[in-house]
């Protein structure tokens, strides 16, 4: 089997995490599998890089001089914990020192110029992976594996220059990755790729945005025709609900690409829809597994033919820290004019929209936005829309949350909405706003924030998600 | 009591309709009420004027020469049936002849120039009311009333020059109407106003668009501080459902302005939200009554304080001849960008949007559009959006209908959605798309077209709308 | 020889004018030439049609009822004067009556709708030619010729629907004209075409704008591969100067297309540059001749190879009723930013610009505009540009005129500017603004209005334009 | 007297230049004048900084490491040559070292980030003055003066953040400069200000663009109500012509602000129009003098009342390395549409326009652009304009130059143009394009490049500019 596996976050946290990751690489390699590994930054590092890049732009040199040694220390100590062979260790610590020095130079440069361009920001953010990858490569070599680490750029991932959210140039990337990795694989070398970062055709470093390391893994998987992409996480897979809210939540055995795409707001366990795109065409399965429980098979994300199941609703989540806005007024012409203006204003204002609903009366359009954008959304709308045309008022509410239930089985099955709202109603929860699109994979509704957990539990129970997730309904 | 009453459609159809209308005017006048009457065109006339104006623009003279005498004949015959006094009859037929001649001139003008401008169109459409108003005024005088008919322009209704959907200049209109009608009322004259049409400050004829005659009535009501505006219809009032679908449907006693506004798609019985705007400020009640059953009180539309009721869902309808479109793709940035583009494209394409839904996954946005615009909507979206950004596909379906349930009682009442979808589910109807905005006055959902009537009946039964509409739930 | 000849204005004024026109047709026909005739409206008629169309839009019916009979009378009387054969006369007067009736209908239509659309305006303006063409065709037949009159549309001239200034669709027009006229010519019929008007592919009447009848002639000439296009005028040809200013002015024997194009502002004698475009490709000569002096050869407009002459400056004119504006300020970036803004503002304001000058210091840009647009130009610039950027002031002057000297011989001849300004200086005339583009066909300069005639005479003398125009310099 | 004097370029070149500058400061100070000095960078330094900033952005570290020591050496050596007192010398060399180190840091930062933002560029360009000012301040102190050097920012010059061409916030700058400099002057300290650079209200370094140091001097002059601003140059003043072309060229005694503004293209001697703006309001005279010839009074730039003279043309220049473009086609509507499009396209393309001419035929518009932009101008026009509307061709010529003659005396004097073109014609030079705006201060024309010097000499002779410039004509 040819496998691309990505280790990220806690799955490479500390000596324990890394040891497990390396154990896994060894296990698969010994089985004769061809393995390509993608690593993200050590836990917390990317956030710290975001933070320090902003501080650097304020000219804050002392913070940099405090930060870089700490970052180097973190990686060096981890290296010492994970690598025994002195020559390997010194190779890795040298590499870390050098990279830290480069980072320091970059941060000082930003501090001196007191300006953080999107290009510099991407460059800085790439250092998390550029430090974790040699570390893990060294530790793997120490365990007897023969590895070689590469940046995303070196591995051939080529993007446009839309810094912060660069878009891969797919054909170029595929050809380029193939020509880089195939010879290494053939030579028995295990490539370890720094995730998240890539480069433009001019060689400028870029980053892939949200879910970037997963995206790196699926891009590589597609390029080298992997049999499976494995995303190792600290959890055992995608779950039926957040276990902190519903202790009976269970791991999902199988889920379709489409269902997984609908789970964007299911927290750490989820995979960004964008990261699934490369594998859909070739129907390469993606598996979410826990590196802490190798016995568990995790969750398989695959085509509908493969994951066909009896389940109707497969998972339920509660999206918190959101607010709801309603724009009311008689749309004089019945055209999409007000909707067009509302969303243009929001888009220009940089405001995310999670959920939209306009019922058939055409007298009001409602939407949900992150709570920290609520006041801004309300302001830009009042400034730009109120009074014009027939818009009469704009109401914002902030004490709400969104409940979302996902499952391909809803499609064509009568009574799902009834069961959803019946379960919620039984608990006395009032439903403020509802949206279900025609794909019928997701039904979302707004409830008062305090009732969110109750609603999640009610749905979890109604759809018996605590039973073996695939066998029910 | 000071009353503005509007007679439209079948309520002035034929001798019978007009006789009833005049009887009503007499009844109220004898009771000592001050009455102002608004009339629309005789049934079917406005549609014929739309039709002939388009044919005229093609230069079709013979059709005009066929049409105008027919129209004159219709009004003259009706006059002969309704007016006995020869001098009154000849006054009215003379007026009809003259107006018909003017219309003929206008239509010939359009035919000669082979061009129908929005301005000419509005002028032509105003002739329906300009012929019905003198006829009804004559018939009323024949019955012993003392009336005077006026065009909307003569009555003081002043608008901008947005032909086809002119917007009243409210302050000017109020002052102007007051100064025109108060002296007539004081002199014991019953003013009969040609509805739907108005004029710009330059005297150019305009029309008020959808629901125009009702709008004339509520504008006049606000201007002269009426105690009530009565809309006489062929039906007894707003109903809980379409009786052709649900034979048990009943008339609603009371309904709030907001609820009535949500009923835009409830067919002939409904009143356009725009027409309610003038009366809301002064909380002037609007009553929908049947001129065929004077014993029945009809439906009262008023402020929430007045109409407070126990009902949760008050009415349910099925909007037919619609289609549903879904635009799918991973919104890369989470911003309102795709929504903004989708609705801009639709608005530019002149496409109405009845219902919108985007659930929390942000991977698809769905909306409902009139079926005859469905192909166009799909085309303009494919042309302008597909392939760009991350939009991956656009799916249109045409065998659906929208079910809408309306009622202010839904607000804050847990379990309504559950009852709605539970009732529908019990009948085995699959729900394709759902939208409920935060005003909680309207819950709309899409079902297969064939299941529409079943869904209406299920909800009608579930919410016991067949009982006295106000006394239940 | 195959000839297209156009008779316009005074050359078809009254019995005398028309007789001459017909004599000319006979002369050429007898010589064996194949002749196609284009006629414009009788003198003054188009202006009256412009006038009445505007009055009609004000609903002024009595003016129409006064105008149309007068117009019919004018044509009928002229017909009676020019046609002796009673059957021919009655055919023509019938045609005139019918056309007058149609015009009356159109004008009444506009009056009734109180709106003059660009489309209706073009239709009305076409009636001048639609009445003169049958009249002249009848008179020609009366003289023994065999003619047939056609509208521009019937002759195959097809345009876009840019009413008022419609642009011919050249390929379509050529094919269409050929197929219409060739069979007539072959059958020995002399086609008489109503100039100025044409139609869109949908058959809607359009007009060709300024110089429209000349344009009709050159379009036809190109379509049927004419050997020459003759424009008959009341004057003997293009002149070296306006004889009212310079009594010694003479007719020019030959002039190139390019020179003629530069003479747009040379008054009635000139031909619009646009009208020369169709003939340039095939190098078909255009001759301006006087129908009052058949002995005179007139002015030949042709390719440079044909008209090669010794003359440096060939003609000089004074453009009156203009004003001059100067926009001053240090252009900070040296870019075309201020020029770009100035001309955008003027263009948006519908303001013509006759002459532009910006000398190398980049601190001011000057231009000339018709005097009646001067105040408007000044206002829109102050509103939109002043204060912004580095624009410091805007000065308008209205007591100026533009002197233009034209001649291909200036190109590459040193000393022309010196002679131009030397001659003017000798008369003590101050030169306010100068522009000479790199084509070196035209040198224009601004002088105080009162000095205009002096400047014209000075140049006329300097370049000895009173001598045989071609033989000098 | 209160004087602001600016030393730039060669006037502070080497030991000799600086000694002279300091001698001048001493002379004036001893006379009791209050002196404020503005210095530009040492000769050639700004160009080198432009160059190195671009190389830095390519990541070229070795060039930086070669450049910075060279730059430091240049300043240190100069310091050693000009300063004898060891403590002063070490103070200055320390300051130079430190500034060089800072510059090195900035350049390394740019090199590391491989990106030169407009903000960083301005910062780097400010280092020329930031190194010359302390050096000259030290040398002045060494001569016995008591000076203090300040950056433009420290002196109070505040601008917007339009990097590269920052615009001073005048009121803020005046108040701020006054409060900074007045106390120093009162305390007997001679302020030495680093010219060209300033800062935004947030303290970000900006530069004033072309002619920046002169601009610094006039801004300071206005702020502290100077009696005169003296610009010390290597030449004796503004000249009647370039002496390399016309050996008889002489220095101009007096010239008006307006005339001086017209001389933007008169080479090193000229002063940018922008730099004259601050002094015009208060009519503060500006004097251009040579530090090499203190006996000579130089050229005085002042209000027209002061400089009134008999001269007609005062100076003549030849602008080389330009090209000429002509856009031809019949402007169908006569509106400014084509001009508007042409200059929009050029402006968007970043193309400077030196001279514009459109003669009265409206068939072609010609303009002059720097030769290195000629091909680009031609390309963007062909791409965006050709074929559209009635534009028929675009012709570019590159072997031309512009001759400009300047003089307020032209205004209202008949015969100047005649003399200009007569003089040129006598030499057999062909004039290709002419523009004279209505301000009549400047007449510009295009001649073949090879004839440029001949034309300059011809005009110089014609207007007897070799005589005492003020006494003639």
């Amino acid at each position: 089997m040819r496998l691309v596996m990505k280790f990220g976050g806690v799955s490479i946290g500390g000596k324990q995490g890394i040891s497990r990751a390396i154990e896994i690489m060894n296990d698969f390699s010994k089985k004769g599998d061809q393995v390509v590994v993608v690593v993200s930054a050590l836990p917390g590092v990317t956030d710290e890089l975001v933070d320090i890049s902003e501080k650097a732009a304020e000219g804050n040199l002392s913070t940099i001089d405090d930060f870089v040694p700490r970052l180097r220390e973190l990686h060096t100590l981890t290296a010492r914990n994970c690598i025994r062979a002195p020559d390997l260790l010194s190779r890795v610590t040298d590499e870390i020192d050098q990279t830290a020095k480069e980072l320091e130079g970059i941060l000082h440069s930003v501090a001196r110029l007191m300006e953080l361009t999107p290009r510099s920001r991407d460059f800085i953010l790439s250092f998390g992976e550029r430090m974790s990858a040699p570390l893990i490569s060294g530790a793997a070599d120490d365990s007897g594996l023969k590895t070689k680490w590469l940046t995303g750029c070196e591995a051939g991932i080529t993007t446009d220059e839309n810094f912060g959210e660069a878009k891969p140039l797919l054909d170029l990337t595929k050809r380029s990755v193939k020509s880089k990795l195939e010879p290494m694989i053939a030579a028995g070398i295990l490539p370890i790729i720094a995730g998240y970062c890539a480069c433009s055709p001019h060689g400028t470093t870029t980053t892939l945005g949200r879910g970037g390391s997963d995206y790196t893994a699926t891009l590589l998987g597609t390029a080298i025709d992997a049999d499976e992409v494995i995303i190792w996480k600290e959890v055992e897979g995608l779950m039926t609900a957040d276990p902190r809210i519903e202790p009976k939540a269970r791991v999902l055995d199988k889920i379709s690409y489409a269902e997984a795409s609908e789970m964007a707001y299911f927290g750490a366990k989820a995979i960004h829809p964008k990261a699934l795109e490369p594998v859909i065409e070739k129907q390469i399965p993606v598996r979410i597994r826990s590196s802490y429980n190798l016995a568990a098979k995790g969750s398989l994300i695959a085509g509908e033919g493969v994951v066909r199941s009896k389940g109707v609703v497969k998972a339920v989540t509660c999206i918190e820290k959101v607010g709801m806005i309603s724009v009311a007024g008689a749309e004089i012409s019945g055209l999409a004019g007000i909707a067009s203006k509302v969303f243009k204003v929001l888009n220009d204002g940089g405001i995310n929209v999670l959920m939209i609903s306009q019922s058939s009366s055409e007298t009001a359009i409602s939407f949900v936005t992150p709570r920290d954008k609520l006041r801004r959304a309300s302001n830009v709308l009042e400034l730009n829309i109120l009074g014009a045309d027939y818009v009469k008022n704009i109401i914002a509410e902030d004490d709400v949350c969104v409940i979302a239930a996902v499952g391909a089985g809803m499609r064509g099955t009568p009574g799902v909405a009834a069961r959803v709202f019946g379960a919620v109603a039984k608990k006395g929860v009032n439903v403020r706003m509802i949206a279900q699109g025609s794909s019928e994979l997701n039904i979302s509704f707004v409830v008062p924030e305090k009732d969110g957990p109750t609603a999640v539990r009610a749905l979890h129970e109604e759809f018996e998600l605590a039973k073996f997730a695939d066998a029910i309904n």
Side-chain angles (χ1 to χ4, degrees), chain A:
Chain A
M1 292 248 290
R2 179 170 278 193
L3 299 169
V4 174
M5 40 178 78
K6 178 245 170 180
F7 296 93
V10 178
S11 76
I12 51 169
K15 183 186 171 175
Q16 201 189 10
I18 294 175
S19 300
R20 254 167 221 269
I22 286 162
E23 203 177 310
I24 290 167
M25 295 182 209
N26 273 293
D27 281 2
F28 281 88
S29 296
K30 274 172 198 153
K31 274 200 298 176
D33 290 332
Q34 292 176 337
V35 177
V36 171
V37 165
V38 174
V39 295
S40 57
L42 297 192
V45 168
T46 300
D47 286 347
E48 291 203 65
L49 288 167
V50 169
D51 190 50
I52 196 70
S53 69
E54 279 156 15
K55 282 182 179 135
E58 293 160 9
N60 202 328
L61 282 170
S62 70
T63 316
I64 298 170
D65 294 343
D66 177 57
F67 170 77
V68 176
R70 246 191 327 109
L71 188 73
R72 190 183 53 228
E73 204 65 12
L74 169 69
H75 288 84
T76 309
L77 277 177
T78 309
R80 283 204 197 106
N81 282 332
C82 298
I83 306 172
R84 284 151 311 169
D87 57 329
L88 273 179
L89 180 60
S90 90
R91 186 193 78 191
V92 168
T93 52
D94 282 4
E95 208 154 11
I96 288 169
D97 283 359
Q98 205 175 322
T99 307
K101 193 166 276 170
E102 191 185 350
L103 173 61
E104 187 175 36
I106 296 299
L107 288 171
H108 277 182
S109 297
V110 169
R112 266 203 209 90
L113 302 175
M114 293 193 66
E115 190 180 18
L116 180 67
T117 62
R119 174 184 171 128
S120 299
R121 191 177 187 274
D122 266 22
F123 194 20
I124 293 168
L125 296 197
S126 74
F127 276 83
E129 279 75 12
R130 287 180 60 198
M131 291 178 90
S132 67
L135 163 55
I136 287 162
S137 173
D141 288 358
D142 192 55
S143 79
L145 284 166
K146 201 168 144 200
T147 73
K148 182 162 166 44
W149 85 269
L150 304 165
T151 61
C153 182
E154 289 165 348
I157 300 180
T158 316
T159 67
D160 60 18
E161 291 204 346
N162 182 20
F163 297 110
E165 193 87 54
K167 197 169 165 178
L169 308 170
L170 281 180
D171 288 343
L172 191 52
T173 294
K174 282 183 197 168
R175 275 202 310 278
S176 192
V177 166
K178 216 174 173 66
S179 75
K180 296 278 176 57
L181 299 193
E182 291 285 9
M184 290 174 65
I185 295 169
I189 296 167
L190 187 159
I192 295 184
I193 318 298
Y196 181 56
C197 54
C199 62
S200 80
H202 307 295
T204 311
T205 297
T206 57
T207 65
L208 298 171
R210 294 194 288 173
S213 289
D214 294 349
Y215 204 2
T216 302
T218 55
L219 283 165
L220 296 180
T222 305
I224 63 166
D225 289 301
D227 295 294
E228 194 170 289
V229 173
I230 305 177
I231 312 288
W232 296 95
K233 300 223 167 184
E234 66 274 30
V235 295
E236 292 187 14
L238 297 172
M239 296 192 75
T240 54
D242 184 336
R244 289 167 303 178
I245 290 176
E246 171 51 274
K248 297 181 199 145
R250 303 186 57 112
V251 170
L252 286 156
D253 276 14
K254 295 179 190 165
I255 191 166
S256 70
Y257 295 124
E259 287 170 326
S261 291
E262 294 283 327
M263 293 173 77
Y265 284 99
F266 276 64
K269 302 160 292 294
I271 183 162
H272 195 278
K274 175 175 82 177
L276 288 175
E277 286 193 11
V279 293
I280 289 175
E281 196 193 353
K282 291 188 177 165
Q283 296 273 311
I284 299 170
V286 175
R287 190 178 289 274
I288 316 284
R289 296 186 63 173
S290 166
S291 50
Y292 290 86
N293 182 356
L294 299 181
K297 287 289 184 186
S299 301
L300 186 74
I301 305 171
E304 296 210 3
V306 175
V307 304
R308 201 181 314 127
S309 78
K310 290 192 296 179
V312 174
V313 166
K314 287 212 175 143
V316 56
T317 196
C318 174
I319 308 166
E320 294 170 319
K321 293 185 185 153
V322 297
M324 171 170 71
I325 290 187
S326 179
V327 176
E331 169 75 81
I332 188 168
S333 62
L335 296 184
I338 289 184
S340 166
K341 278 181 212 155
V342 164
F343 296 114
K344 173 158 190 1
V345 164
L346 294 174
N347 189 40
D348 291 353
I351 291 157
N352 313 43
V353 170
L354 274 67
M355 181 177 161
I356 301 170
S357 186
Q358 183 204 288
S359 63
S360 63
S361 66
E362 295 180 20
T363 58
I365 187 160
S366 303
F367 60 90
V368 170
T369 185
R371 199 169 296 158
D372 58 4
K373 299 279 180 70
L374 190 67
R375 182 193 284 263
R376 181 170 169 71
S378 174
N379 286 347
V380 296
L381 286 172
E382 281 179 12
L383 219 62
N384 290 289
I385 305 260
L386 197 60
D389 307 296
Y390 279 75
V391 172
K392 286 183 308 186
N393 56 46
I394 294 167
I395 299 166
E397 294 171 66
D398 69 353
D399 52 349
V400 297
C401 65
V402 172
I403 306 297
V406 167
M410 294 194 221
R411 194 162 43 209
T413 309
V416 178
R419 289 177 66 189
V420 165
F421 296 111
V424 170
K426 254 180 273 168
K427 303 295 180 186
V429 173
N430 186 32
V431 171
R432 298 296 317 283
M433 170 181 166
I434 301 174
Q436 180 206 292
S438 63
S439 68
E440 292 177 67
L441 287 164
N442 180 324
I443 185 160
S444 297
F445 54 97
V446 172
V447 300
E449 188 165 36
K450 64 172 173 50
D451 296 332
T454 306
V456 168
R457 284 190 295 264
L459 294 184
H460 205 268
E461 193 185 331
E462 170 66 28
F463 292 97
E464 301 183 295
L465 303 184
K467 291 198 188 170
F468 285 106
D470 271 1
I472 43 117
N473 295 122

